[in-house]
Amino acid sequence: MKEGLSYQAVLHAVQEPVLVIDRQLQIVAANEAAQKAFGKGPAPLTGCPCHQATHGLIEPCSESGLHCPVIEVFETGRLVRVVHRHRRPDGRIVWEEILASPLRNEQGEIAAVVEELRDLTDILRHRSLVKE
């Protein structure tokens, strides 16, 4: 990478929330957009279960009847795209497209999953108002 730039700087420059999640469904890294969207005050998201941060759930999404893209990526090794209803710390509900991708180590094993989240709430709200 060019001098003066780091992967952390690139991660934090991305305007959409990005989470890195391990096999225990714990957030191991989060960019500033994710911290702003899902964080509760200054406490970092790292170490927090992803289902607690994004859904406000105590148990994993899959145990609550939701499709978990992180588990699917770990099981299949393939990219997964889904739309989930998420709850922000202020109680606001948003609909987000999640693009979950495998993050592989040097041995080619999936070490973590990278989730990119895009808020679709306004787009979906607008579409429901448009008559075609």
Side-chain angles (χ1 to χ4, degrees), residues 94-120:
V94 297
W95 289 90
E96 290 182 301
E97 176 184 44
I98 302 169
L99 182 61
S101 306
L103 182 61
R104 298 182 185 276
N105 60 21
E106 288 108 21
Q107 293 76 34
E109 301 161 332
I110 302 172
V113 172
V114 177
E115 276 194 348
E116 304 166 58
L117 299 104
R118 192 172 121 219
D119 188 344
L120 301 175

Side-chain angles (χ1 to χ4, degrees), residues 9-76:
V10 172
L11 179 67
H12 290 298
V14 175
Q15 299 301 301
E16 301 290 348
V18 176
L19 301 171
V20 181
I21 302 165
D22 68 12
R23 287 189 178 272
Q24 288 71 46
L25 304 178
Q26 302 290 309
I27 298 171
V28 295
N31 70 351
E32 290 173 14
Q35 184 67 41
K36 183 178 176 185
F38 300 111
K40 294 181 180 175
L45 285 171
T46 53
C48 180
C50 57
H51 47 273
Q52 183 178 1
T54 59
H55 291 281
L57 296 172
I58 294 171
E59 68 266 346
C61 300
S62 58
E63 292 178 22
S64 299
L66 298 171
H67 174 251
C68 178
V70 174
I71 291 174
E72 185 175 342
V73 170
F74 278 121
E75 289 175 350
T76 67

